[in-house]
Amino acid sequence: MAGGDERGTTERVLTLLGLLQQRQVWTGPELAGRLGVTPRTVRRDVERLRTLGYRVHASQGVGGGYQLGPGQDLPPLLLDDDEAIATVVSLLAGAGGGVAGAGDAALRALTKLDRVLPARLRDEVRALSGSVESFGGGRTPVDPGVLMALARACRDEVEAGFGYPSGSEVRRRRVEPYRLVVSDRRWYLLAYDLDRDDWRSFRVDRMTDVSARTWRFRPRVAPDAAAYVQEGVASRVYEHQARFLVHAPADTVRAQIPASAAVVRRRGSELCEVLSGAGSLDFLLMHMLLLGHDFEVLDPPELRRRCHALANRLLAAGAATSPVPEDP
């Protein structure tokens, strides 16, 4: 029985550590509610973490609570200095791209390690990370330090600011950061733009002078981050947007179109809807033709007229014509 109690305590303390790594400050009642214990048990578990080497700060009053201190020594029997450096540099490489599906997971792990990395290792890790590069995948490179700053701001629910191109100039943007989203080509930030009073997605590689404020915000009801960013990249940024009903399974069409070029939504087992954008309606039609599936135009109505015009042009091009006279 004692062995079972000990395992339960260990699992609870590890869960407590995970919670402290997810957010900057937790109140005692919040942690007690998450763990299903009393605030007194939370205080005991915090002391257990301190005994293991984790520096957990406690403060009273409004805005107070438990906070995992940065720059502390790693607890014994977890990672030595060489292992810590190798882990962080490998995660930096993964967060920068090059391994399909690994970028977002690597960044989540980095935000946790950042809170417990020994201060003496920070400069060495920074120097080593500068020598890590990747090839393949085609993803636009971004500064890992910027990714870390934005990830922490999302995690801690604090406002962020950065310079961002707007026409021919760079303007300062103030946002409530919500999620980092990685595509096959780029990193994006989904955030609530405080000056424009609406949700916006931003390319991380276009940001300059990124900084996080200490001002915390209450999270708003947010759209699905990945879907919102994908729809913006594939459609909203273009002059023309179109919807098609394609007579093919969604998985088949997704394999033919990059995620950054179109949004593919399942419509039963043998149909799907494709949402895409371009600078020309004719270009959208030709792209759909080249997929090799039957399809119908859903929107816009003008695109149906372009179908007839393009069909007539193709019929004329394929009609029998007189031989082209040769030059004398």
Side-chain angles (χ1 to χ4, degrees):
M1 187 69 173
D5 291 344
E6 184 176 346
R7 284 194 299 273
T9 299
T10 300
E11 293 172 359
R12 190 178 66 245
V13 171
L14 289 175
T15 301
L16 171 61
L17 176 60
L19 292 172
L20 291 172
Q21 290 173 335
Q22 290 176 15
R23 206 168 83 186
Q24 190 172 18
V25 178
W26 291 84
T27 66
E30 286 177 329
L31 290 173
R34 287 294 191 98
L35 297 172
V37 296
T38 64
R40 182 178 181 182
T41 300
V42 171
R43 291 194 295 270
R44 290 177 177 173
D45 289 345
V46 167
E47 288 302 321
R48 291 186 175 98
L49 286 176
R50 288 168 175 163
T51 301
L52 288 171
Y54 288 97
R55 195 171 300 166
V56 183
H57 303 299
S59 56
Q60 303 293 327
V62 178
Y66 293 103
Q67 181 178 16
L68 190 62
Q72 65 185 63
D73 290 340
L74 290 174
L77 302 180
L78 291 182
L79 296 174
D80 60 28
D81 289 4
D82 291 340
E83 291 170 338
I85 292 171
T87 299
V88 172
V89 172
S90 298
L91 289 172
L92 283 170
V99 180
D104 49 355
L107 189 60
R108 290 197 302 270
L110 271 172
T111 60
K112 294 179 180 180
L113 279 176
D114 178 66
R115 303 300 302 272
V116 297
L117 190 68
R120 66 181 182 276
L121 297 181
R122 292 181 183 273
D123 290 339
E124 189 168 357
V125 166
R126 191 176 298 114
L128 284 172
S129 66
S131 65
V132 176
E133 298 184 8
S134 62
F135 65 90
R139 185 171 300 160
T140 303
V142 296
D143 183 353
V146 170
L147 285 176
M148 289 286 291
L150 294 173
R152 285 195 296 266
C154 292
R155 177 196 63 197
D156 297 339
E157 297 172 354
V158 296
E159 291 183 11
F162 48 84
Y164 201 76
S166 178
S168 60
E169 59 182 348
V170 175
R171 295 182 180 178
R172 194 71 182 170
R173 310 294 283 265
R174 297 184 309 115
V175 303
E176 295 175 355
Y178 177 64
R179 289 288 188 275
L180 280 166
V181 178
V182 62
S183 74
D184 54 343
R185 298 174 58 193
R186 297 184 178 94
W187 284 91
Y188 298 87
L189 173 70
L190 175 63
Y192 193 85
D193 192 315
L194 294 170
D195 295 321
R196 289 157 178 78
D197 197 26
D198 199 2
W199 291 97
R200 292 287 192 274
S201 59
F202 302 92
R203 276 177 50 175
V204 175
D205 61 292
R206 290 182 174 176
M207 296 179 180
T208 56
D209 300 324
V210 177
S211 62
R213 303 178 62 190
T214 57
W215 185 265
R216 298 190 65 185
F217 61 86
R218 184 185 298 275
R220 305 169 188 266
V221 177
D224 180 275
Y228 183 94
V229 172
Q230 185 192 10
E231 186 171 331
V233 171
S235 175
R236 285 194 301 265
V237 297
Y238 293 100
E239 180 181 358
H240 299 284
Q241 295 84 40
R243 289 192 308 126
F244 303 91
L245 182 66
V246 181
H247 293 243
D251 291 342
T252 299
V253 177
R254 286 194 186 104
Q256 294 178 281
I257 309 177
S260 57
V263 177
V264 180
R265 296 170 178 153
R266 187 182 301 276
R267 293 290 182 264
S269 60
E270 298 300 324
L271 297 173
C272 65
E273 182 180 317
V274 174
L275 173 66
S276 187
S280 163
L281 290 176
D282 286 352
F283 178 86
L284 286 168
L285 285 174
M286 292 304 300
H287 188 69
M288 294 304 299
L289 281 170
L290 291 174
L291 293 179
H293 309 297
D294 291 339
F295 67 91
E296 304 166 29
V297 173
L298 299 178
D299 284 309
E302 180 188 354
L303 192 56
R304 299 190 184 98
R305 294 191 292 272
R306 294 306 306 161
C307 283
H308 292 285
L310 185 59
N312 290 332
R313 192 183 308 167
L314 290 171
L315 287 172
T321 59
S322 302
V324 177
E326 298 181 0
D327 293 334

